[in-house]
Amino acid sequence: MPTIKTNGINFYYEERGSGEPLLLIMGITAPGAVWNVHVADWKHHFRCIIGDNRGVGLTDKPAGPYSTEQMADDYAGLLDSLELENAHVVGCSMGSTIAQQLAIRHPKKVKSLVLMCPWARCDNYAKGLFQHIMNAKARFRPEEFSLYIQLLIFSKSSWDDAKQHEDLENGRRIDAFNPFPQPLHGLEGQAAACINHNALPDLGQINAPTLVIGGKEDIFTPVWMAEEVAGGIPGAELHLYDKLGHAFHFENTEDFNARVRNWLSRVPVA
């Protein structure tokens, strides 16, 4: 299994496809395998590099708290280990906060940014929400915790659709028997990074072409957060999906995969 040493931890990653490097950074609680439905498309166009974040999956899970700066340095070390000068970077949710810090702290390593359901800072509501995620993880059975996360990230349109509703039920059944569950301290470390992330004063330093994508019905990271990020990065583009939530990339995978692929293909060659 491909593991490298970076920033003091053993970091697990996978690669698929060929072409320009595309670094994929997933969100809180999620291992890199969650990118599979997107990599199935993108691997035909890019060299997809998928990591398990610090605190989850097959990467080390040291005691926290973690920070988005620290996690960005994890990925900078991964790119160095792969001898890559730069990469396109796609970050989802917490992954978008890590991607922001990667672009701020290591600007030469970031060729372009796609920031999915991002935030530049947490307000008190968001901080309370992350605290409740930790409380739920500590008290719920895995399938109960999965249901809570699903309620946060999927829109009404998914819950009302018979096929998607069945898929959500199947997902909870799978989570009940996950052989690699995230330990509570791993989630707490990631949640601390989410709560304390504040890149708002530094977004203006980002000079990589940037696409910000969100869902208009996102109750986890509301539209104002995506708008604030897009407004803070010079020249950033913003696309918001109608009637979709935090998991818009699963709710309309076909459009999302093509939209990101086509946008990346238009990024000028350095």
Side-chain angles (χ1 to χ4, degrees):
M1 294 184 291
T3 303
I4 59 104
K5 192 82 172 181
T6 175
N7 203 20
I9 61 169
N10 295 301
F11 190 94
Y12 177 83
Y13 73 98
E14 296 181 4
E15 292 192 57
R16 293 177 218 158
S18 61
E20 292 189 74
L22 175 60
L23 178 64
L24 305 174
I25 310 177
M26 190 35 74
I28 190 169
T29 79
V34 176
W35 286 109
N36 284 349
V37 295
H38 311 306
V39 171
D41 178 325
W42 297 341
K43 69 181 180 181
H44 299 293
H45 309 272
F46 302 97
R47 175 186 173 185
C48 297
I49 303 162
I50 311 122
D52 283 351
N53 291 323
R54 173 186 294 256
V56 76
L58 300 178
T59 289
D60 283 351
K61 307 164 190 68
Y66 310 155
S67 71
T68 54
E69 294 91 339
Q70 177 188 42
M71 298 171 86
D73 291 349
D74 294 345
Y75 280 96
L78 173 62
L79 292 176
D80 286 341
S81 177
L82 296 175
E83 299 182 347
L84 292 173
E85 183 178 346
N86 57 33
H88 300 287
V89 181
V90 180
C92 180
S93 195
M94 181 186 75
S96 81
T97 67
I98 298 169
Q100 290 165 45
Q101 295 290 6
L102 187 62
I104 292 165
R105 295 168 67 82
H106 307 276
K108 292 182 180 179
K109 295 185 183 299
V110 178
K111 183 171 185 179
S112 70
L113 278 176
V114 178
L115 302 176
M116 303 160 55
C117 37
W119 65 96
R121 62 182 174 90
C122 280
D123 62 359
N124 288 333
Y125 180 87
K127 292 176 182 178
L129 193 54
F130 282 115
Q131 182 60 55
H132 189 59
I133 289 174
M134 290 186 276
N135 296 345
K137 174 72 172 177
R139 292 165 175 80
F140 288 177
R141 296 195 302 270
E143 62 272 28
E144 294 172 335
F145 181 70
S146 179
L147 173 59
Y148 173 58
I149 296 299
Q150 288 175 347
L151 289 166
L152 281 179
I153 69 175
F154 286 94
S155 66
K156 184 179 187 300
S157 62
S158 288
W159 289 96
D160 288 346
D161 181 272
K163 176 62 171 63
Q164 293 194 56
H165 186 254
E166 181 182 356
D167 289 344
L168 292 173
E169 288 184 343
N170 288 335
R172 296 196 295 274
R173 293 190 191 100
I174 292 170
D175 286 343
F177 300 99
N178 182 357
F180 301 106
Q182 183 180 33
L184 177 60
H185 75 269
L187 183 140
E188 289 174 336
Q190 292 185 347
C194 292
I195 289 170
N196 295 316
H197 174 71
N198 185 0
L200 189 60
D202 300 316
L203 291 181
Q205 299 176 24
I206 297 176
N207 55 20
T210 301
L211 173 64
V212 176
I213 309 184
K216 290 184 179 179
E217 293 191 7
D218 190 342
I219 62 171
F220 190 1
T221 55
V223 166
W224 72 263
M225 290 182 159
E227 291 175 338
E228 186 169 73
V229 170
I233 299 175
E237 300 176 38
L238 175 64
H239 177 78
L240 298 174
Y241 283 98
D242 289 325
K243 299 182 180 179
L244 300 185
H246 195 74
F248 58 83
H249 51 110
F250 295 133
E251 296 181 306
N252 192 348
T253 301
E254 182 177 1
D255 181 90
F256 171 76
N257 285 351
R259 185 177 298 276
V260 170
R261 175 184 4 104
N262 293 334
W263 185 85
L264 289 172
S265 72
R266 295 194 296 270
V267 173
V269 176

